[in-house]
Amino acid sequence: MKRIYVLITCVFAFSNIAFAQTIFQQAPVGFDVEKPEIAHGTVDTLSYPSATVGNTRQATIYTPPGYSEDEKYPVLYLLHGIGGDEYAWLKNGQANVILDNLYAQNKLQPMIVVMPNGRAMENDRATGDIFAPDKVQAFATFEQDLLNDLVPFIEENYPVHTDRENRALAGLSMGGGQSLNFGLGNLDHFAWVGGFSSAPNTKPPAELVPDPDQAKEQLKLLWISCGDEDNLMNFSQRTHEYLAEHEVPHIFYVEPGGHDFEVWKNDLYHFSQLLFKPVDHSLFNHSK
Ligand code: FER
């Protein structure tokens, strides 16, 4: 009899592990390779006045194939990590190529993707000691720059919807921590939130989601992912466990890999396809 219990326990334990890792297949080979024969979106650099930093700041922007000023689009704000800047997702993450390929397969809702510089300080280059306290602090200061300077600029200057259900915030590592902190801390601004391999700047879960019922009600999608070989897994794991305990629907996606763009490209590939559409709730984790 005892053996049967052990067997049943093992089956459950393994099926849970397997579930966490198989919600999504890995992005198919070639998903990040440029295809000359398909339509391409447009990549640009924009400048906006920042009252937060007291200067003019830059962001990159991707508008989709078929973009028209006569339409209105939802917006994904996509944030980089501690070693990155507003070009990181394009240069190291081939974000525009991944998105072009998804549009060619009709897998994406038309959206504008804004890639800001998340280090809100006068010199926002990723040079010198990128872990220096003032530079790390600038990733927190970016909350004000994003909410008070960049989002209003985008909404005044681009043909975009301006309600919370048409704004998504996601990022990798430091940008994952920012996305969880700022997104979950400003549910009146964002309904779609994603943290990829979120870093130690991620607030402790009870601070991140002090009111689980409100989060449950307001979030369209909460995405937490991490590579299974990433030393920062603890920050995603503890967030997932708290969310599961408080029954806040979310996706917890553990994928093969470490702390690098192979993982983050795969995250963008999957996360972007879920945005601004009715979400398949069977993908959500409700338990630990
Ligand atoms: C740390 C380890 C990693 C940390 C930040 C990171 C601020 C960020 C990594 C990344 O953005 O890739 O201790 O402290």
Side-chain angles (χ1 to χ4, degrees):
M1 200 60 185
K2 215 171 166 190
R3 271 201 203 154
I4 291 176
Y5 283 125
V6 171
L7 184 69
I8 290 171
T9 307
C10 285
V11 167
F12 269 99
F14 281 117
S15 65
N16 275 347
I17 293 164
F19 178 68
Q21 295 180 338
T22 55
I23 321 172
F24 305 104
Q25 304 267 324
Q26 294 284 104
V29 172
F31 80 109
D32 56 347
V33 176
E34 199 169 334
K35 298 182 177 46
E37 69 277 13
I38 64 168
H40 299 283
T42 303
V43 173
D44 218 336
T45 303
L46 63 84
S47 299
Y48 64 100
S50 168
T52 303
V53 183
N55 66 357
T56 300
R57 308 199 67 229
Q58 296 201 329
T60 57
I61 183 165
Y62 169 92
T63 53
Y67 173 74
S68 159
E69 303 231 328
D70 300 330
E71 303 276 325
K72 272 192 191 266
Y73 298 89
V75 185
L76 164 62
Y77 294 86
L78 186 60
L79 311 180
H80 60 79
I82 202 157
D85 59 26
E86 65 274 31
Y87 295 101
W89 269 106
L90 299 168
K91 277 201 294 201
N92 306 114
Q94 286 78 47
N96 56 319
V97 176
I98 294 170
L99 298 169
D100 284 346
N101 291 344
L102 286 169
Y103 280 113
Q105 296 187 303
N106 246 320
K107 287 184 169 172
L108 281 191
Q109 194 65 22
M111 70 182 91
I112 290 179
V113 181
V114 176
M115 291 156 280
N117 181 307
R119 197 179 290 97
M121 63 195 294
E122 182 76 31
N123 177 0
D124 61 10
R125 296 303 95 192
T127 51
D129 177 8
I130 55 174
F131 286 89
D134 61 329
K135 294 186 184 172
V136 170
Q137 171 55 41
F139 278 87
T141 306
F142 179 66
E143 180 168 9
Q144 301 315 314
D145 182 87
L146 175 68
L147 297 180
N148 303 332
D149 303 319
L150 180 58
V151 170
F153 178 86
I154 295 297
E155 297 185 353
E156 274 161 34
N157 291 282
Y158 291 87
V160 296
H161 292 292
T162 58
D163 57 304
R164 56 183 295 285
E165 297 203 359
N166 282 294
R167 289 196 205 111
L169 180 60
L172 71 90
S173 201
M174 283 298 274
Q178 286 176 310
S179 298
L180 297 179
N181 294 346
F182 309 164
L184 297 173
N186 297 279
L187 290 168
D188 54 332
H189 282 70
F190 302 100
W192 311 79
V193 176
F196 310 161
S197 317
S198 298
N201 62 332
T202 309
K203 289 180 180 171
E207 223 177 286
L208 202 53
V209 187
D211 183 349
D213 285 338
Q214 192 204 9
K216 222 179 284 189
E217 203 171 294
Q218 301 230 65
L219 283 166
K220 287 279 195 187
L221 173 65
L222 174 52
W223 165 291
I224 314 270
S225 58
C226 196
D228 60 0
E229 288 170 17
D230 191 327
N231 290 331
L232 301 183
M233 172 63 92
N234 167 50
F235 300 99
S236 295
Q237 182 74 39
R238 74 178 190 193
T239 308
H240 156 63
E241 282 173 13
Y242 175 92
L243 293 168
E245 226 156 71
H246 293 82
E247 297 179 334
V248 179
H250 64 288
I251 288 177
F252 180 50
Y253 175 40
V254 178
E255 61 208 285
H259 196 74
D260 58 46
F261 264 102
E262 290 311 306
V263 165
W264 304 324
K265 289 193 293 188
N266 185 52
D267 292 331
L268 178 64
Y269 175 85
H270 290 296
F271 178 76
S272 62
Q273 293 183 62
L274 300 174
L275 292 178
F276 311 120
K277 295 174 180 171
V279 176
D280 176 1
H281 286 245
S282 72
L283 298 171
F284 289 2
N285 292 68
H286 294 277
S287 59
K288 283 200 252 179

